[in-house]
Amino acid sequence: MGWLFTDDGVVGLYLGGGVFLSWALSRELDPAHTLSAFKAAGLVFFTIFSPDSFQPVLVFWLLLLMRLINGITGKKLTLIDLLSTLAFTGFLSFTRENSLYLLIFVLTTVSLVTIGERSKSVLIVGALAFILFAGQIVIMDSLNFVSLNEIDFLTGSLLALTLLSVPFFRQLSQTAIEDDKGETVDSIRVFSGQLLYSAAIILLTLTGSLTFNDQLIYLAVVSGILIHFVQVNLLKID
């Protein structure tokens, strides 16, 4: 559709990728409600009106971090999972000269410890990530925040809606869901993943790490989930 409307194949690829990744991200945020992900994916079609690109690798990275926490896969967290995600995070952090990625990974390990994942692997990898983060801060001065006068309407809307979504996420996480192996998922794990996502989006926004279309996609993800929540729980529309 993007190619047909714009005669640009690259725009079509970005639109298709954005729709899929938005759907996948919404499924991680609200795993109990399938339709909320389709609503979020539908809202992403608005990016067709913007010539700006988005960062699919960033969405993929967020998906990995959330899967470390929420336990949707039903698989036990392994050292390979942690190290591979840390390696990917380090690659993003040093190639983009932005230590925020390492900071968010450190927050991920803190979340894991908080929910009871206190194995030596989590503690060691978390400590290693913190050392890399501190070293990059000292050597490269690679963590800078935007000033208040640089926050436009879209940026402010994303920040406000992300903050507003937190109490809704808390209620959504209470819905009983099963992991990929048919076992009940701990609601605390689900909510911790939602909190990490919210914190990551706020930090990425405040450091100016998101493109215009990035912001549209993350706004669509949260909006789709909240729209579905209001329809089902307040308006009683299934």
Side-chain angles (χ1 to χ4, degrees), residues 57-58 60-62 64 83-93:
V57 67
L58 191 56
F60 180 70
W61 174 69
L62 286 171
L64 289 179
L83 287 177
S84 59
T85 309
L86 175 58
F88 185 30
T89 303
F91 171 78
L92 290 176
S93 186

Side-chain angles (χ1 to χ4, degrees), residues 74-202:
K75 297 171 60 178
K76 186 176 181 180
L77 190 62
T78 67
L79 179 60
I80 297 299
D81 296 329
L82 291 165
L83 287 177
S84 59
T85 309
L86 175 58
F88 185 30
T89 303
F91 171 78
L92 290 176
S93 186
F94 284 96
T95 56
R96 300 185 177 199
E97 298 183 359
N98 188 345
S99 55
L100 177 63
Y101 300 104
L102 283 168
L103 174 60
I104 293 173
F105 184 85
V106 171
L107 292 178
T108 302
T109 59
V110 171
S111 296
L112 287 170
V113 171
T114 302
I115 62 178
E117 290 279 357
R118 298 171 184 172
S119 64
K120 289 182 179 179
S121 299
V122 173
L123 296 175
I124 291 173
V125 172
L128 178 59
F130 182 77
I131 292 171
L132 289 173
F133 165 70
Q136 192 177 35
I137 285 289
V138 172
I139 297 172
M140 302 175 66
D141 188 24
S142 55
L143 186 61
N144 299 291
F145 292 89
V146 300
S147 61
L148 290 178
N149 57 11
E150 294 180 86
I151 298 178
D152 55 20
F153 177 76
L154 179 62
T155 302
S157 298
L158 179 57
L159 289 171
L161 199 59
T162 302
L163 287 169
L164 177 66
S165 67
V166 172
F168 289 94
F169 283 154
R170 179 57 179 162
Q171 186 166 342
L172 288 170
S173 67
Q174 300 302 309
T175 305
I177 58 171
E178 294 182 348
D179 59 29
D180 295 342
K181 294 185 176 181
E183 301 292 332
T184 301
V185 179
D186 186 352
S187 63
I188 297 299
R189 295 188 71 105
V190 176
F191 185 55
S192 295
Q194 294 165 336
L195 282 179
L196 176 74
Y197 169 82
S198 300
I201 295 303
I202 290 171

Side-chain angles (χ1 to χ4, degrees), residues 1-6 8 11-12 14-16 19 42-53 154 212-213 216-217:
M1 289 180 66
W3 173 68
L4 289 174
F5 276 107
T6 64
D8 190 332
V11 172
Y14 271 112
L15 180 63
V19 168
L43 290 172
V44 173
F45 275 100
F46 284 108
T47 60
I48 196 173
F49 299 109
S50 170
D52 201 1
S53 62
L154 179 62
F212 183 83
N213 273 3
L216 286 179
I217 286 174

Side-chain angles (χ1 to χ4, degrees), residues 195-211:
L195 282 179
L196 176 74
Y197 169 82
S198 300
I201 295 303
I202 290 171
L203 289 171
L204 287 165
T205 302
L206 290 177
T207 54
S209 304
L210 302 178
T211 67

